[in-house]
Amino acid sequence: MADYDLVVRGGTVVTAVDTVRADIGIRNGRIAAVGESLSGADTLDAGGLLVMPGGVDTHCHIEQLQEGGGADEETWETGSRACLAGGTTTVIAFSAQFKGRGILEPLAEYRRRAARAMVDYSFHQIITDASDEVIWTQIPAVVESGVRSLKVFLTYDALHLDDRGYLRVLAAARRTGALVTVHCENYEAINWRTEALITAGRTAPMYHAWSRPSMIEREATHRAIALAEMVDQPIQVFHVSCSEVAAEIAAAKHRGLKVWGETCPQYFVLTAADMDRPGFEGAKFMCSPAPRTQQDHDALWQDVQRGTLDIVSSDHSGWSYEGPKGKRVNGIDAPFRDIPNGVPGLTARLPILFSEGVGKGHIDLNRFVAITATNPAKLFGLYPRKGSIAPGFDADLVLWDPRKQVTLTNAVMQHILDYTPYEGRPVTGWPVATLRRGAVVMRDGTTRAEPCSGQFLARAPYDLIRPRGVLPDGFDASAFA
Ligand SMILES: [Zn+2]
């Protein structure tokens, strides 16, 4: 009898620390051995390929519910296919709260919808209304069910919490053992500037960037960190767009705070100038925070390489361009503030980071694995099940051809949407096979998984996000308010 169900043979195995030639022995969907000359009932030849942990994308909007009913156009089935095509095997999506309503019923609906997934998954619980019932009763129940991260928006009319609401969520997270993730932009400043731009007749997509310059992201990041420090609650800052903002995170880390930073592929390749393309085309590049400048790209890579930024996620948006809920929902003359935000990127995440980051010498292979799989798995409590290659981990692997050249097009993305902001962009390095818990679920772009084969990942308490126990005056206000 063979020692293993499957052996991935002869590849170069890359983790966040090591790069070694080795075979991987898989038994019952998990990695059982990393060694030499392993033999299995089945063999997958990885000669000439890199073998890396399947991508862990901890910021994706998939089938997110809309206030008026219905959901994102991207479904769990199509979103999963896009993930597998791009080498990603685990995602964390969102369960949203609508103001004035609770979070338990929506989460049950998200769980029901996500049962169709072909990737393994969890959720961040968005809190938009920090009522007593939500803070004291519902958040503890949600966290206890394994959804161990909360998300707060400091901007957007329908979503934003004021500082007091944010403090209450920080306190609730501290009491229940959850991580808080934050969208950092200054709500009042954006609204004030947006009104001025629209009054001045500056309504085209490019003015989206003008409405939210970098200092309003920097200010909100500084404030989010200071308030988290006061509560002694760890946070992760989402989608840092430029080095000026990353500097706030570097300063927090330097002071010993548990503050982590995420950025996204779009901030390495898109610029504000993309939103100035003719006609309404610029809307395809609109996301928040806004893409910055070419010079910002290099500086942001340095923040990734030196460890200021820990994670690179897609922030995949589930809206199309031309579809009924898409960018053109309010017409092609709609002022920028009425155009849905966000860009899709489930499939493009790993190829862009590999091609731009590893290919152009900004980061090495190990850092690539760290920011796309190991760090997100660790920070969000999926470790040591997801995010690395060692005995005991789920056999989630991507077999990667580092030399394969591909031109990114919408067809290549395999999502349900009708555009990609990366149309026509050449990349070098491409996933040729994806394994999820030991099964080959993508081969040469073809998905082999069945709907409902993904698993919900309930996240248990873990040490990394434990508060430091350092409180101003030693007084723990979170126990009372
Ligand atoms: Zn997002």
Side-chain angles (χ1 to χ4, degrees):
M1 232 186 80
D3 294 334
Y4 306 103
D5 304 330
L6 174 67
V7 168
V8 178
R9 187 187 301 283
T12 298
V13 176
V14 186
T15 70
V17 234
D18 299 314
T19 308
V20 291
R21 275 292 288 277
D23 298 343
I24 298 172
I26 296 166
R27 202 185 295 130
N28 299 325
R30 296 165 76 187
I31 295 167
V34 179
E36 295 174 333
S37 308
L38 305 182
S39 75
D42 252 318
T43 301
L44 191 59
D45 178 21
L49 302 175
L50 305 175
V51 184
M52 302 186 282
V56 179
D57 191 344
T58 47
H59 187 166
C60 320
H61 301 277
I62 300 171
E63 219 169 319
Q64 201 165 311
L65 300 178
Q66 270 189 302
E67 184 132 30
D72 278 2
E73 291 165 77
E74 194 73 83
T75 68
W76 277 98
E77 232 171 292
T78 57
S80 294
R81 206 168 56 218
C83 284
L84 298 176
T88 287
T89 47
T90 299
V91 300
I92 303 185
F94 294 90
S95 170
Q97 178 192 17
F98 301 120
K99 284 189 193 283
R101 316 230 304 254
I103 56 176
L104 300 181
E105 276 174 38
L107 179 58
E109 171 69 3
Y110 283 104
R111 290 282 304 268
R112 195 185 63 72
R113 286 171 177 264
R116 301 283 301 165
M118 299 184 281
V119 290
D120 292 348
Y121 59 92
S122 184
F123 298 97
H124 305 295
Q125 178 63 54
I126 295 173
I127 306 296
T128 60
D129 191 341
S131 66
D132 282 347
E133 170 72 11
V134 166
I135 290 291
W136 291 99
T137 308
Q138 298 190 353
I139 287 177
V142 163
V143 173
E144 182 63 29
S145 78
V147 174
R148 203 159 282 279
S149 45
L150 308 175
K151 173 166 188 192
V152 168
F153 290 86
L154 299 184
T155 190
Y156 291 130
D157 289 332
L159 300 170
H160 103 285
L161 284 184
D162 60 16
D163 289 350
R164 190 187 182 94
Y166 171 52
L167 284 166
R168 281 167 64 80
V169 172
L170 290 169
R174 190 173 201 276
R175 290 191 295 267
T176 53
L179 181 67
V180 174
T181 61
V182 196
H183 178 127
C184 296
E185 289 185 295
N186 183 304
Y187 176 66
E188 297 289 351
I190 292 170
N191 280 351
W192 180 75
R193 209 167 147 85
T194 296
E195 278 165 30
L197 284 163
I198 294 199
T199 302
R202 295 174 188 253
T203 61
M206 66 171 283
Y207 295 108
H208 171 72
W210 289 34
S211 74
R212 50 213 322 129
S214 58
M215 63 284 290
I216 64 104
E217 184 188 354
R218 164 164 53 84
E219 182 280 331
T221 302
H222 183 89
R223 178 162 38 100
I225 291 169
L227 298 184
E229 183 175 6
M230 182 175 84
V231 177
D232 185 32
Q233 166 58 34
I235 62 168
Q236 182 211 239
V237 177
F238 268 137
H239 44 50
V240 171
S241 72
C242 59
S243 211
E244 171 187 341
V245 174
E248 297 290 340
I249 294 166
K253 286 181 193 271
H254 189 71
R255 288 211 304 286
L257 303 182
K258 289 194 175 185
V259 173
W260 292 273
E262 176 213 63
T263 187
C264 313
Q266 48 268 37
Y267 300 112
F268 297 111
V269 291
L270 302 183
T271 69
D274 284 312
M275 287 180 278
D276 192 22
R277 297 204 191 179
F280 196 64
E281 194 76 8
K284 291 181 179 174
F285 308 91
M286 271 180 67
C287 53
S288 297
R292 307 295 178 194
T293 69
Q294 196 89 51
Q295 295 86 283
D296 286 308
H297 298 166
D298 280 355
L300 200 62
W301 276 120
Q302 288 175 31
D303 292 317
V304 169
Q305 177 56 28
R306 65 168 80 95
T308 299
L309 299 178
D310 309 275
I311 290 174
V312 187
S313 315
S314 68
D315 195 5
H316 178 79
S317 149
W319 305 115
S320 64
Y321 182 62
E322 303 217 22
K325 301 172 181 174
K327 296 274 189 188
R328 293 164 33 140
V329 64
N330 293 313
I332 57 165
D333 295 320
F336 64 85
R337 74 168 165 207
D338 297 331
I339 302 170
N341 263 231
V343 296
L346 291 174
T347 318
R349 181 178 72 117
L350 296 183
I352 286 180
L353 292 173
F354 188 89
S355 192
E356 292 293 317
V358 180
K360 296 185 177 171
H362 294 293
I363 54 172
D364 63 17
L365 275 174
N366 309 107
R367 188 72 191 150
F368 173 79
V369 170
I371 60 175
T372 57
T374 315
N375 291 353
K378 281 184 173 173
L379 184 57
F380 290 100
L382 301 169
Y383 195 88
R385 177 173 173 189
K386 304 292 189 186
S388 194
I389 298 175
F393 279 83
D394 281 357
D396 295 346
L397 303 171
V398 56
L399 273 54
W400 192 273
D401 181 345
R403 283 168 295 274
K404 186 167 178 176
Q405 297 185 316
V406 172
T407 300
L408 301 183
T409 63
N410 196 52
V412 165
M413 297 303 147
Q414 301 205 24
H415 53 209
I416 203 172
L417 308 174
D418 58 355
Y419 81 103
T420 168
Y422 310 117
E423 188 72 34
R425 176 176 291 278
V427 293
T428 302
W430 195 255
V432 293
T434 305
L435 281 72
R436 186 209 58 209
R437 284 179 271 110
V440 178
V441 284
M442 188 283 287
R443 190 82 193 250
D444 297 321
T446 303
T447 303
R448 297 170 166 196
E450 292 298 323
C452 305
S453 57
Q455 291 181 356
F456 172 67
L457 301 165
R459 294 177 281 143
Y462 54 106
D463 279 343
L464 185 59
I465 61 166
R466 201 183 292 277
R468 296 189 310 143
V470 180
L471 286 153
D473 311 313
F475 176 66
D476 183 4
S478 74
F480 303 93

